[in-house]
Amino acid sequence: MSGDGERDPGGGPRRPTRAEQPARYIVPECREPVTELYRDAHILVVNKPPFLLSVPGRAPENRDCVTARLKRRDPELRLVHRLDLDTSGVMVFALSRAAQSGLSRAFQQRRVAKAYQAVVQGLVRGEEGEIDLPLCPDWPNRPLQKVCFETGKPALTRWRVLARDAARERTRLRLMPVTGRSHQLRIHCREIGHPILGCDLYAPPEVLGRSDRLLLHAETLAFNHPITGLWSEFHSPVPF
């Protein structure tokens, strides 16, 4: 809550944006568990709750994270990819060096199929499309990213409408990122005029205040198993 007791348009306490937080941002305590979705000798697939870091933060207070929790049982656990602090959903970890090498290569070569669900502000026109806007760090305003056609790296997101809620002026989308740039889905949705509800980085205050969490969830992750080569798909139920 902001120090002056400012309220959001719905009458509740206004959640401050991350830009309004102190420079030494301390992540709120996350009491939700990391749940296991699949395990074999080589990979571990889990469901990450929102407001839990994927890896430890720089501040000593930000040591709690998915990786630290999982290493209590599997000290040999190896990181492959990350989800944003606010994003929930499917993550895969390697349990061997060979699995880490294979999975990392698959992510780098874009041979991993990813699908997210998001709820965005407004009624999106059309049923499906692509957002192709290059992204790069916004260095004076880190950790923000920005669209830049001069120095940005290619970023492509495919989208499909799942449902529209005219009464509440919101749309549920399936987002399928082809690339994996930082904050790609948040920025791409904002750039087409439909920021994700609850986004504390790129949504205006009235859109941030419409949800107590970022309405973005990594619903599906699919890839060739790094050891067996078999196509494997993993799903996490959308919690919103």
Side-chain angles (χ1 to χ4, degrees):
M1 183 185 301
S2 57
D4 59 5
E6 189 175 354
R7 315 293 282 185
D8 72 14
R14 187 178 73 82
R15 185 156 59 95
T17 66
R18 201 174 306 180
E20 296 170 335
Q21 299 289 334
R24 191 166 178 263
Y25 179 67
I26 305 303
V27 176
E29 180 184 9
C30 176
R31 297 185 178 182
E32 292 187 55
V34 178
T35 55
E36 186 174 304
L37 299 175
Y38 174 83
R39 164 190 294 271
D40 63 24
H42 303 284
I43 67 172
L44 173 62
V45 182
V46 302
N47 183 60
K48 171 193 170 305
F51 304 119
L52 182 64
L53 293 167
S54 293
V55 297
R58 293 183 179 178
E61 297 90 341
N62 293 339
R63 308 310 292 173
D64 185 30
C65 63
V66 179
T67 305
R69 292 187 186 186
L70 295 178
K71 280 193 172 185
R72 294 168 191 163
R73 174 178 176 181
D74 298 290
E76 74 280 14
L77 187 92
R78 298 169 183 269
L79 183 71
V80 175
H81 69 123
R82 307 181 188 189
L83 291 178
D84 282 349
L85 167 69
D86 308 73
T87 305
S88 56
V90 184
M91 288 186 71
V92 61
F93 290 85
L95 296 176
S96 66
R97 187 179 298 276
Q100 183 187 39
S101 177
L103 287 170
S104 297
R105 188 162 50 251
F107 274 91
Q108 292 167 2
Q109 296 175 356
R110 301 176 188 172
R111 293 187 284 107
V112 176
K114 297 171 282 185
Y116 293 70
Q117 276 199 37
V119 179
V120 301
Q121 174 74 10
L123 302 179
V124 177
R125 293 184 178 181
E127 298 305 315
E128 59 184 21
E130 292 186 349
I131 308 166
D132 187 1
L133 294 170
L135 302 176
C136 71
D138 185 0
W139 292 112
N141 301 297
R142 291 285 285 163
L144 299 183
Q145 308 286 309
K146 65 179 181 179
V147 174
C148 182
F149 290 94
E150 295 181 357
T151 62
K153 294 183 178 180
L156 176 63
T157 301
R158 298 189 174 104
W159 59 268
R160 180 183 305 124
V161 170
L162 296 177
R164 294 182 179 87
D165 185 341
R168 295 194 289 176
E169 296 186 348
R170 58 176 62 181
T171 304
R172 183 176 293 270
L173 298 177
R174 175 162 287 124
L175 301 172
M176 295 154 285
V178 178
T179 53
R181 308 300 176 201
S182 181
H183 300 168
Q184 175 177 319
L185 300 180
R186 301 187 194 215
I187 298 175
H188 277 179
C189 287
R190 180 199 65 184
E191 288 298 308
I192 63 171
H194 299 283
I196 300 175
L197 300 188
C199 179
D200 68 345
L201 292 175
Y202 302 101
E206 64 272 16
V207 178
L208 168 64
R210 294 191 67 185
S211 174
D212 60 2
R213 61 154 291 182
L214 176 70
L215 296 189
L216 180 65
H217 180 78
E219 179 183 23
T220 302
L221 190 65
F223 48 84
N224 290 104
H225 191 285
I227 305 303
T228 69
L230 296 176
W231 185 250
S232 305
E233 294 189 8
F234 304 98
H235 304 274
S236 169
V238 179
F240 50 79

